[in-house]
Amino acid sequence: MATDIVSQLADSLATTGVEEGELSYKGQARKLNDSKSVEEIVKEIEDFEGLQALRLEGNTVGVEAAKAIAKALETKSQFKRCYWSDMFTGRLRSEIPPALNSLGDALMLAGAKLTVLDLSDNAFGPDGVKGIEQLLKSSSCYTLQELRLNNCGMGIGGGKILAASLIECHKKSNAEGTPLSLKVFVAGRNRLENDGATALAQAFQLIGSLEEIHMPQNGINHPGVTALATAVQHSPNLRTLNLNDNTFTDVGATAMAKALKHLQSIQVINFGDCLVRPVGATAIAKTISEGLPILKELNLSFGEITEEAALAVAQAVKNKKQLEKLDLNGNYLGEDGCKALKDYMEGMNMVDLLASLSDDEGEPGDEEDEEEDEDDDDEDDDGDGDEDDDDEELDEEEVEEEEEEEDEEDDEEEQDENAARMFFTPPSAPRPPDVSSFLSFPSPDKLLKLGAKRATLIEQQVDVTDARKTAEAFLKIASVYKDDNNEVKNAVLESVDALLRKVFSSSLQGYNFVSTLLVLLGLIKSEDKVKPVLVVEGHLQALEHAVRQDYFPKESVAVLEAFMSRNKALESCGSSRHKLLSTLQRTQSES
């Protein structure tokens, strides 16, 4: 009898869970193919008063089963937490979006206010993100605090859809006075790459409430890392930043070091296997030494860091009283470097906090020396002496000398031709239009004198990979805008269109341009202390035209609208500011 009671209690705990209002079928490996297979689950959902959470992890749910479960959820207005990771094992990818749509529609119909949405370990790709797109944009997600999408194979496309959904959610929730305050974002192993990461960076910058970001193993290189670095500065409460196994290099690591200066609440930094290199590690060490008082974990393993940089990192954590772990394994320290690091940590009475150095790669030159030794051993492996090899080397040298002589003759002929061109250029040849002069000292007259090809000439002159130069060029062109002079007005707008169409051909370029433009307009502050320009009405009039064009991304419209609506910096421009803001809001509502 006692055994039966214990068995019943165990079954009860397995299904109902231990958290308040939670119903759990976690890890039961049920094959839920149709409505009949979920009759028991549906009844328990319907009978559960005050249901707040449903765990379906470790089962496999088909479309019809999902519809039946969704129907039962339609009346659960107190529902808050979706633990739905690993619940589509063995399903066709085409089955997942309709299943997610059904569940999402039910939650919206119920008026649920979600705090947790976990769909990790469901390989649903970009189409799966479309399955939760409407849910993420709805009022059911205005209260969302944790979004977990680890190992879902979203790809670049899925990352962009997700970012746009979060931006839309923030915009709508902010309009109702309850802005989205997402705290935890998890999206590791999703192949987001630079464009996906850059799109999400726009959302992070706008939301500004994140406390944990986990995006390991996403194929992100320094452009995407730099975009994320710019974005995280706007999340002052960030405690955990995990970008393990992406590729920073010097550029990305230096950008991230600057960003960390703004994150004084950071506790866990995981840049392991990120190729931060000595320059990046030294920059990060400098930031740590100057702040980050509650740092607990620092992972800079497998980053090609040398002894000197590793010792700089060790010195930087000297006074971090809450430090629990420093990981510098798998770097280029060498035997002497490992000993020096351990001795230094020992001297600070912190050696117990140093992770193992068992996978150290040795000093940087060690591998090259080994390769040279192998080459020396293989130089004469034909077994018949050196004469043949010497003959071949002599033949090669003769051929090379002949080729060099021919190249020299060609060079001389080319120089003669160039000299002839220099001395015999017809005096009537027209001087090319001077774009540099216009961009240095812009005026309506100079713009018009660039001629009919002015838009092409400007677009060719401006390096759109340099966000600051591009944003400054846009503002200089826009500064000569004249609403009462159609010729000048059209010249400005044609030039703006050509330049921005090229800028937004890459989402990364577009993101960097918009971020820099916000700084120059005085809508956000820059860590590099870039001074805003004196804003004139032409700037806003040209921008109002640009946001109406098909090349201007809707995500960037949302970002501009958000910062303009909550910042009074441009009120001096009166009607132009009002017109731009109205256009931004209208464009948003149309999308």
Side-chain angles (χ1 to χ4, degrees), residues 357-375:
L357 299 174
S358 59
D359 294 319
D360 187 74
E361 298 284 350
E363 294 183 33
D366 289 352
E367 291 181 4
E368 294 177 10
D369 291 342
E370 288 176 10
E371 289 175 5
E372 287 177 8
D373 290 342
E374 289 175 7
D375 291 341

Side-chain angles (χ1 to χ4, degrees), residues 235-293:
S235 292
N237 296 322
L238 194 67
R239 291 184 286 106
T240 299
L241 182 57
N242 176 7
L243 295 174
N244 188 284
D245 200 7
N246 291 291
T247 307
F248 284 31
T249 63
D250 296 353
V251 177
T254 304
M256 199 57 75
K258 290 181 180 179
L260 289 172
K261 294 178 181 180
H262 300 264
L263 306 177
Q264 295 303 307
S265 297
I266 199 81
Q267 296 180 3
V268 177
I269 300 171
N270 187 344
F271 297 160
D273 206 9
C274 284
L275 210 65
V276 298
R277 292 180 174 159
V279 171
T282 303
I284 291 168
K286 186 174 186 296
T287 296
I288 292 171
S289 66
E290 295 172 351
L292 315 192

Side-chain angles (χ1 to χ4, degrees), residues 268-521:
V268 177
I269 300 171
N270 187 344
F271 297 160
D273 206 9
C274 284
L275 210 65
V276 298
R277 292 180 174 159
V279 171
T282 303
I284 291 168
K286 186 174 186 296
T287 296
I288 292 171
S289 66
E290 295 172 351
L292 315 192
I294 57 174
L295 185 66
K296 291 184 177 180
E297 292 186 24
L298 175 62
N299 184 348
L300 296 178
S301 59
F302 298 94
E304 294 189 358
I305 299 171
T306 54
E307 177 186 346
E308 185 178 356
L311 289 173
V313 173
Q315 186 175 13
V317 301
K318 181 177 182 179
N319 296 314
K320 305 306 170 189
K321 304 300 183 185
Q322 298 187 37
L323 191 72
E324 297 173 0
K325 184 178 181 181
L326 172 63
D327 193 345
L328 291 167
N329 194 23
N331 282 299
Y332 286 165
L333 307 186
E335 187 176 342
D336 292 342
C338 287
K339 184 178 185 305
L341 179 60
K342 289 177 181 177
D343 289 346
Y344 193 88
M345 294 294 286
E346 181 76 50
M348 297 189 297
N349 199 28
M350 298 175 75
V351 72
D352 291 342
L353 309 182
L354 183 64
S356 168
L357 299 174
S358 59
D359 294 319
D360 187 74
E361 298 284 350
E363 294 183 33
D366 289 352
E367 291 181 4
E368 294 177 10
D369 291 342
E370 288 176 10
E371 289 175 5
E372 287 177 8
D373 290 342
E374 289 175 7
D375 291 341
D376 290 341
D377 292 339
D378 293 339
E379 276 181 2
D380 181 28
D381 57 2
D382 56 4
D384 59 357
D386 297 336
E387 291 182 3
D388 292 340
D389 294 339
D390 292 340
D391 290 342
E392 288 176 10
E393 287 176 8
L394 287 170
D395 291 342
E396 289 175 5
E397 287 176 7
E398 289 173 3
V399 170
E400 287 176 5
E401 287 175 4
E402 289 176 5
E403 289 176 350
E404 285 175 7
E405 288 175 4
E406 290 175 4
D407 290 342
E408 287 174 4
E409 290 174 4
D410 291 341
D411 289 342
E412 288 173 4
E413 289 176 7
E414 188 176 339
Q415 289 171 6
D416 291 341
E417 290 176 7
N418 289 337
R421 290 194 198 100
M422 287 175 61
F423 287 109
F424 295 102
T425 300
S428 59
R431 184 181 177 183
D434 194 349
V435 177
S436 297
S437 174
F438 166 71
L439 291 176
S440 298
F441 302 99
S443 72
D445 186 54
K446 284 183 180 179
L447 181 63
L448 294 178
K449 283 183 177 178
L450 291 175
K453 294 183 178 180
R454 66 180 67 85
T456 303
L457 292 169
I458 290 172
E459 177 238 318
Q460 291 173 345
Q461 175 84 7
V462 178
D463 178 9
V464 295
T465 63
D466 187 321
R468 183 168 176 180
K469 288 181 179 177
T470 307
E472 287 174 346
F474 165 77
L475 292 173
K476 286 176 179 178
I477 297 166
S479 69
V480 304
Y481 181 97
K482 287 185 176 293
D483 208 19
D484 57 353
N485 185 323
N486 284 335
E487 187 179 11
V488 174
K489 176 181 174 180
N490 291 336
V492 168
L493 298 183
E494 286 171 9
S495 303
V496 163
D497 285 340
L499 178 63
L500 296 193
R501 187 172 282 107
K502 186 175 180 181
V503 170
F504 288 113
S505 64
S506 159
S507 58
L508 178 61
Q509 287 174 181
Y511 168 76
N512 290 336
F513 167 77
V514 171
S515 296
T516 307
L517 186 63
L518 289 170
V519 171
L520 294 176
L521 292 175

Side-chain angles (χ1 to χ4, degrees), residues 6 21 26 39 103 144 181 197 215 217 264 290 322-323 330 362 437-438 459 472-473 480 508 518 542 554 565 583 591:
V6 171
K26 181 178 179 180
E39 285 179 348
L103 293 165
L144 194 64
S181 298
M215 296 174 65
Q217 290 184 292
Q264 295 303 307
E290 295 172 351
Q322 298 187 37
L323 191 72
S437 174
F438 166 71
E459 177 238 318
E472 287 174 346
V480 304
L508 178 61
L518 289 170
K554 295 298 182 286
S565 61
T583 300
S591 63

Side-chain angles (χ1 to χ4, degrees), residues 35-62:
S35 58
K36 185 172 179 58
S37 65
V38 293
E39 285 179 348
E40 176 193 348
I41 294 175
V42 166
K43 186 173 188 313
E44 289 182 343
I45 292 173
E46 291 173 342
D47 293 345
F48 199 122
E49 293 293 332
L51 181 66
Q52 295 182 25
L54 177 63
R55 288 190 175 273
L56 293 173
E57 310 106 304
N59 299 285
T60 176
V61 182

